[in-house]
Amino acid sequence: FSQVIQKDGLRSLPLSGHVGFDTLPDQLVNKSIKQGFCFNILCIGETGSGKSTLINSLFNTSFDDSMSTHFHPNVRLKAQRYELHESNVRLKLTVVSTVGFGDQINKEDSYQPIVDYIDAQFEAYLQEELKIKRSIFNYHDTRIHVCLYIISPTGHSLKTLDLLTMKSLDSKVNIIPLIGKADSISKTELQQFKRKLISELVSSGIHIYQFPTDDEVVSQINTIMNGHLPFAVVGSTEVVKIGNKMVKARQYPWGVVQVENENHCDFVKLREMLICTNMEDLIEQTHTRHYELYRRCRLQEMGFRDTDSENKPVSLQEAYEAKRRKFYLELQRREEETRQKFVQRVKEKEAVLKEAEQRIQAKFEHLMLMHQEEKQKLEKKRKALEEEIALFNMKKANAELLQTQPMVSTPVSLKRDKDRKK
Amino acid sequence: MEAAAVPQELPPDCGVHELFGYVGIEAVLEQMKVKTMKMGFEFNIMVVGQSGLGKSTMVNTLFKSKVSRKASQPGQEERIPKTVQLQSVTHVIEEKGVKMKLTVTDTPGFGDQINNENCWDPIIKYINEQYERYLREEILITRKRKIPDSRVHGCVYFIPPTGHWLRPLDLEFMRRLSKIVNVVPVIAKADTLTLEEREEFKQRIQRDLKAHAISVYPQEDFDEDPDDRLLNDRIREKIPFAVVGADQEHQVNGKRVLGRKTKWGIIEVENPAHCEFPMLRDLLIRSHLQDLKDITHNVHYESYRVRRLNESNRPALSSNNGLPGRDEDGDESNL
């Protein structure tokens, strides 16, 4: 036998029999089946652009039926988690939708919550990865794998909000632009609209997700699909009877728009591309491109370097040590600060309380004084009253005495005496 | 600086939904298979044992091609080296479209000296070096798309067929190494033991291992679910496998089989009645290869990482003398 030397210097050996490692991909797949898959979709679109209906149609379920109001003060994100089963595949699906996007009068801050959310998921993963004791293999991945951006079917061009939002997101997530509620555009208008959108995206330098064309198995179909972007989609959860089949469709007086009819809209293409053909690639791109970019920027922000000023590779230990020391010092400083503040507050409070105490004391004394005065007054009054009573009693006694005396004088003179005595 | 706007409403699982029609989620399995086949696999195996136990032959038989170091350096005189050396040979083998980069690390000189104290040190050093290499790649700011994996995924330890008990060297080695790598013990040259002797030997070895708390692959702690446990229990009953290696083919009953020809018969390597080589091969390659890699990555590598990153803990908190200041920035980040 001969040994072929491959271009990377490794020898390639022929096998003389069946070894059995061709089961490796299956082993890997079985492991994944056991663990389950995680897929996170972010759906951005103005209120009423058809996000919920689209998701429901894509995954053939009815997730959330309530319609959203237009009066949210700012843009929020709503996340919902589901677990879908199909044959033996378990998919943990998370759908994050924007609430109130495009509704505000001032839309300057509209895209910031979205960017923050995506960054927060990357940050959570990075923190887990940087931990010393970590469990990254059963970490529930919450990073957004694909962003479905729904463009309103105006037929003209991209709105400024769309441009701004997509520009701030294109380096963080895979963006697939869609035209929502596409049944309001006619076929010719649609072609023009798509061309206009693509040229606008290109001229603004926005990178949308391109389906991968390097693998022969899928490259042909992916190239074709790349040409159909943005997909014009129609969603529906209602079924209509066409012929003798029940299909998802929207019924109008002038006809029926079938969701799964390729002549009517690109819904089937979206489902094909998103789920059947490229789900794995989306997950991989998120991890190897977007996450790595985030990680690199973040680590550089934190002060880590791969090579120090003399261009020698930085020892991992030293970098960590230096960081740890810095962190520890910072911690100490903050602790000291907090302690100082605390002491200060306590002092202030004490002063306030003391002052209050004094005031109360003064009031107390004042009250006591008043109480004393009152008491004295009352005492005097009582005495006066007693004297009066004594006087009155005396008078009474005298009067009684006079009454018992023999009646010599006329009653008038008695009366006069009585009067005199009074 | 932490991003503040995390939506607070992440409710727990909204429940399992049944799909009302075909969505196509299971296509992701196919996508995954295609992707991994394109990327190829890496597998690194180490064989340890005294010279003359048939390690190189075994490895050749396992991978049905001449992957051992002896075969790649033909014509060299076989001398017992003075110290334990480690020699790695890498080949690329392909089967049905699946490419595998196989690295076999041999350890000539192990256990061959008069004084074998610490003969496991070079091996432990080598294994840790591979972990270190991976760690450094993983820690980089700009990392490679696919980090080259040279970590040892499985270490096959050859036990000489004495038929008695494990020797102190065997115990020491397996005890130390089972903590940092997956150890698969095998009884070498098992054609010198009868079936009863083989059974007794195995029982004694199992008892020895249990008595010394040595956990060999498949480790009990890592059984994920009852199915796994059942499967692995069956394997654990048979550990260590009694193997015979052969690289020559002979004619038996009109078929060509791999075997050793002796005056009293032909020992067929792939016949489960003769030796347990098929079981070893199935374990290592056909069913548990990915599992070996996963345990190496998720358990052994992680514990190495923890140890390594904790190492600098002690000096950092006590002293304030500066290392050459590298942090020119003034951020307040929390590690």
Side-chain angles (χ1 to χ4, degrees):
Chain A
F1 74 101
S2 63
Q3 290 178 343
V4 179
I5 305 218
Q6 285 196 332
K7 43 183 157 53
D8 48 1
L10 293 171
R11 282 168 287 203
S12 165
L13 284 181
L15 300 171
S16 57
H18 178 67
V19 177
F21 61 86
D22 54 340
T23 59
L24 263 179
D26 292 312
Q27 289 182 32
L28 197 63
V29 163
N30 284 338
K31 265 267 147 73
S32 302
I33 289 182
K34 258 204 259 183
Q35 277 183 324
F37 290 89
C38 250
F39 197 55
N40 307 317
I41 302 180
L42 171 65
C43 213
I44 304 181
E46 296 185 8
T47 315
S49 54
K51 301 186 290 291
S52 309
T53 316
L54 181 66
I55 297 291
N56 287 347
S57 313
L58 266 176
F59 293 102
N60 271 339
T61 58
S62 55
F63 288 145
D64 179 12
D65 285 328
S66 54
M67 287 196 283
S68 175
T69 153
H70 283 265
F71 292 97
H72 291 278
N74 43 25
V75 176
R76 282 185 311 125
L77 290 157
K78 189 171 65 155
Q80 282 160 311
R81 294 202 344 227
Y82 312 94
E83 199 173 304
L84 305 177
H85 281 201
E86 190 173 86
S87 53
N88 55 353
V89 178
R90 274 185 311 126
L91 182 69
K92 293 188 204 119
L93 179 73
T94 305
V95 180
V96 185
S97 319
T98 54
V99 175
F101 189 73
D103 275 338
Q104 293 77 33
I105 297 189
N106 182 357
K107 292 183 250 202
E108 276 176 350
D109 290 328
S110 286
Y111 61 85
Q112 197 56 43
I114 306 176
V115 173
D116 289 341
Y117 179 78
I118 296 179
D119 278 345
Q121 307 318 304
F122 282 150
E123 184 66 27
Y125 191 88
L126 181 65
Q127 290 298 333
E128 182 66 31
E129 205 190 6
L130 285 180
K131 269 195 211 166
I132 293 194
K133 232 180 167 196
R134 61 190 191 181
S135 56
I136 222 167
F137 48 90
N138 51 16
Y139 177 80
H140 178 76
D141 194 0
T142 53
R143 299 173 294 184
I144 300 289
H145 299 127
V146 68
C147 167
L148 299 177
Y149 195 96
I150 301 191
I151 301 170
S152 302
T154 58
H156 295 261
S157 60
L158 280 175
K159 298 193 188 153
T160 321
L161 178 63
D162 293 338
L163 279 169
L164 270 177
T165 312
M166 280 203 263
K167 195 79 180 84
S168 61
L169 291 177
D170 70 349
S171 59
K172 293 190 187 283
V173 73
N174 303 315
I175 301 183
I176 299 185
L178 307 172
I179 303 173
K181 295 199 170 174
D183 49 345
S184 61
I185 312 186
S186 76
K187 229 182 172 104
T188 38
E189 283 174 351
L190 190 63
Q191 292 305 318
Q192 258 185 331
F193 189 33
K194 280 193 185 183
R195 257 178 282 140
K196 188 89 187 347
L197 287 175
I198 292 288
S199 73
E200 273 199 353
L201 287 172
V202 167
S203 64
S204 315
I206 296 179
H207 297 263
I208 55 174
Y209 176 73
Q210 296 293 314
F211 302 118
T213 49
D214 47 4
D215 181 35
E216 326 78 43
V217 179
V218 290
S219 81
Q220 204 183 17
I221 186 168
N222 277 348
T223 331
I224 299 177
M225 290 301 172
N226 275 332
H228 281 275
L229 282 173
F231 292 135
V233 290
V234 176
S236 172
T237 45
E238 291 162 350
V239 282
V240 171
K241 198 173 169 99
I242 301 279
N244 53 357
K245 282 203 301 172
M246 300 293 282
V247 293
K248 286 196 283 241
R250 288 175 64 76
Q251 180 142 50
Y252 291 106
W254 47 88
V256 178
V257 178
Q258 294 162 38
V259 168
E260 286 172 330
N261 186 333
E262 294 219 38
N263 289 331
H264 290 198
C265 71
D266 295 332
F267 175 81
V268 175
K269 295 197 184 75
L270 173 67
R271 187 172 61 192
E272 271 286 314
M273 286 292 106
L274 188 65
I275 302 174
C276 305
T277 319
N278 296 309
M279 197 192 269
E280 186 60 35
D281 186 64
L282 284 164
I283 299 178
E284 192 187 329
Q285 289 283 336
T286 308
H287 181 68
T288 54
R289 202 146 59 92
H290 301 294
Y291 171 70
E292 285 296 314
L293 181 64
Y294 176 83
R295 177 179 176 274
R296 200 179 321 152
C297 297
R298 192 81 176 85
L299 287 181
Q300 279 173 345
E301 228 179 86
M302 284 205 246
F304 285 99
R305 301 269 184 276
D306 274 341
T307 60
D308 65 3
S309 42
E310 296 110 46
N311 253 6
K312 283 193 291 196
V314 165
S315 149
L316 162 73
Q317 211 158 329
E318 287 173 352
Y320 260 86
E321 233 171 79
K323 262 293 137 176
R324 200 180 275 121
R325 189 176 310 117
K326 186 156 179 263
F327 177 63
Y328 187 67
L329 287 175
E330 176 74 23
L331 197 69
Q332 275 186 320
R333 185 180 69 79
R334 287 232 188 110
E335 223 179 287
E336 198 50 46
E337 215 177 282
T338 318
R339 196 178 310 140
Q340 295 284 17
K341 272 208 197 133
F342 182 68
V343 168
Q344 183 77 4
R345 290 263 265 310
V346 167
K347 278 209 185 105
E348 281 174 14
K349 200 71 178 182
E350 262 184 23
V352 167
L353 282 173
K354 253 207 180 91
E355 195 203 348
E357 202 183 324
Q358 282 176 344
R359 266 189 288 129
I360 289 179
Q361 189 73 6
K363 219 174 183 175
F364 180 65
E365 281 170 8
H366 179 65
L367 276 171
M368 285 293 286
L369 223 67
M370 279 184 52
H371 179 66
Q372 285 292 80
E373 280 181 21
E374 286 279 327
K375 220 170 160 183
Q376 282 175 347
K377 274 202 199 140
L378 276 171
E379 211 39 58
K380 271 199 202 146
K381 263 198 174 155
R382 191 168 71 90
K383 276 209 177 113
L385 215 62
E386 268 180 13
E387 275 177 15
E388 262 190 58
I389 291 178
L391 214 61
F392 179 67
N393 280 338
M394 232 176 30
K395 279 193 186 158
K396 191 166 152 194
N398 281 344
E400 277 172 3
L401 215 63
L402 270 174
Q403 260 187 331
T404 52
Q405 273 182 350
M407 300 262 249
V408 185
S409 46
T410 56
V412 182
S413 53
L414 253 168
K415 207 168 168 223
R416 242 189 282 139
D417 280 324
K418 268 203 199 146
D419 282 323
R420 228 189 290 140
K421 283 196 180 98
K422 277 210 183 107
Chain B
M1 224 175 13
E2 313 258 271
V6 180
Q8 294 309 315
E9 39 200 312
L10 249 184
D13 234 352
C14 277
V16 177
H17 287 253
E18 280 310 312
L19 299 172
F20 299 136
Y22 177 72
V23 173
I25 298 178
E26 57 178 358
V28 72
L29 296 177
E30 199 49 47
Q31 296 170 32
M32 198 179 214
K33 249 192 238 185
V34 167
K35 184 182 78 160
T36 49
M37 290 205 5
K38 208 168 45 140
M39 267 201 319
F41 295 86
E42 284 174 311
F43 189 56
N44 309 318
I45 189 172
M46 182 188 269
V47 283
V48 183
Q50 284 175 275
S51 62
L53 283 182
K55 303 189 293 293
S56 304
T57 318
M58 172 56 52
V59 168
N60 286 346
T61 322
L62 211 55
F63 290 100
K64 291 267 169 58
S65 64
K66 308 225 181 262
V67 287
S68 72
R69 69 181 158 96
K70 284 198 188 157
S72 13
Q73 306 151 353
Q76 260 191 357
E77 241 183 63
E78 198 51 32
R79 281 159 169 264
I80 295 185
K82 291 230 171 75
T83 56
V84 180
Q85 297 177 338
L86 284 116
Q87 291 172 355
S88 289
V89 179
T90 308
H91 297 276
V92 173
I93 44 183
E94 182 178 333
E95 192 173 57
K96 296 213 183 110
V98 178
K99 284 204 193 64
M100 181 152 88
K101 183 164 150 235
L102 174 72
T103 306
V104 178
T105 308
D106 204 344
T107 54
F110 177 83
D112 287 334
Q113 279 80 43
I114 303 259
N115 182 358
N116 283 314
E117 257 172 33
N118 302 328
C119 65
W120 45 78
D121 277 347
I123 299 177
I124 295 187
K125 191 160 96 103
Y126 175 81
I127 293 178
N128 283 337
E129 254 168 40
Q130 307 316 306
Y131 288 146
E132 180 68 26
R133 211 184 281 185
Y134 193 89
L135 180 64
R136 278 185 192 274
E137 287 285 338
E138 200 194 21
I139 283 283
L140 282 181
I141 298 206
T142 322
R143 342 192 250 205
K144 298 203 182 99
R145 197 180 175 96
K146 181 156 152 35
I147 301 179
D149 190 1
S150 57
R151 302 171 292 186
V152 178
H153 299 129
C155 174
V156 184
Y157 185 71
F158 286 75
I159 302 174
T162 60
H164 296 179
W165 290 275
L166 287 174
R167 301 165 305 155
L169 176 63
D170 302 330
L171 284 169
E172 269 307 310
F173 179 84
M174 282 203 275
R175 191 170 60 86
R176 281 158 200 274
L177 254 78
S178 58
K179 296 196 185 118
I180 58 173
V181 75
N182 298 319
V183 175
V184 181
V186 295
I187 302 175
K189 295 204 165 166
D191 46 337
T192 55
L193 298 169
T194 65
L195 287 182
E196 295 85 21
E197 285 169 354
R198 198 194 281 181
E199 231 3 80
E200 281 175 11
F201 191 28
K202 275 199 204 186
Q203 296 295 330
R204 281 193 218 112
I205 292 180
Q206 282 177 9
R207 265 190 304 226
D208 262 347
L209 289 176
K210 204 171 279 194
H212 286 83
I214 301 175
S215 66
V216 295
Y217 184 82
Q219 297 94 335
E220 272 183 346
D221 309 319
F222 308 138
D223 284 340
E224 284 175 357
D225 53 41
D227 289 332
D228 266 353
R229 186 165 293 259
L230 215 65
L231 186 67
N232 289 345
D233 273 344
R234 248 178 275 151
I235 297 175
R236 278 188 279 263
E237 272 168 33
K238 295 282 169 89
I239 294 260
F241 296 126
V243 294
V244 177
D247 47 10
Q248 287 183 323
E249 286 188 345
H250 304 275
Q251 196 83 359
V252 172
N253 291 343
K255 281 197 304 168
R256 306 268 317 158
V257 291
L258 269 177
R260 285 170 62 75
K261 184 159 183 202
T262 62
K263 287 235 164 65
W264 46 91
I266 297 184
I267 306 159
E268 294 166 47
V269 164
E270 300 202 325
N271 187 339
H274 289 195
C275 83
E276 291 173 337
F277 172 79
M279 287 189 73
L280 177 69
R281 179 192 52 206
D282 286 349
L283 178 76
L284 279 185
I285 301 177
R286 293 192 188 166
S287 55
H288 284 70
L289 202 153
Q290 189 58 39
D291 191 46
L292 281 164
K293 288 175 71 170
D294 283 340
I295 294 191
T296 308
H297 181 66
N298 295 336
V299 177
H300 296 297
Y301 170 68
E302 287 295 318
S303 54
Y304 174 80
R305 186 176 171 275
V306 169
R307 261 179 289 140
R308 189 77 176 75
L309 295 181
N310 270 333
E311 255 169 34
S312 46
N313 234 342
R314 278 158 279 136
L317 292 179
S318 54
S319 65
N320 261 339
N321 51 342
L323 279 177
R326 201 161 284 117
D327 306 296
E328 305 89 20
D329 56 306
D331 62 308
E332 309 119 48
S333 63
N334 295 321
L335 260 184

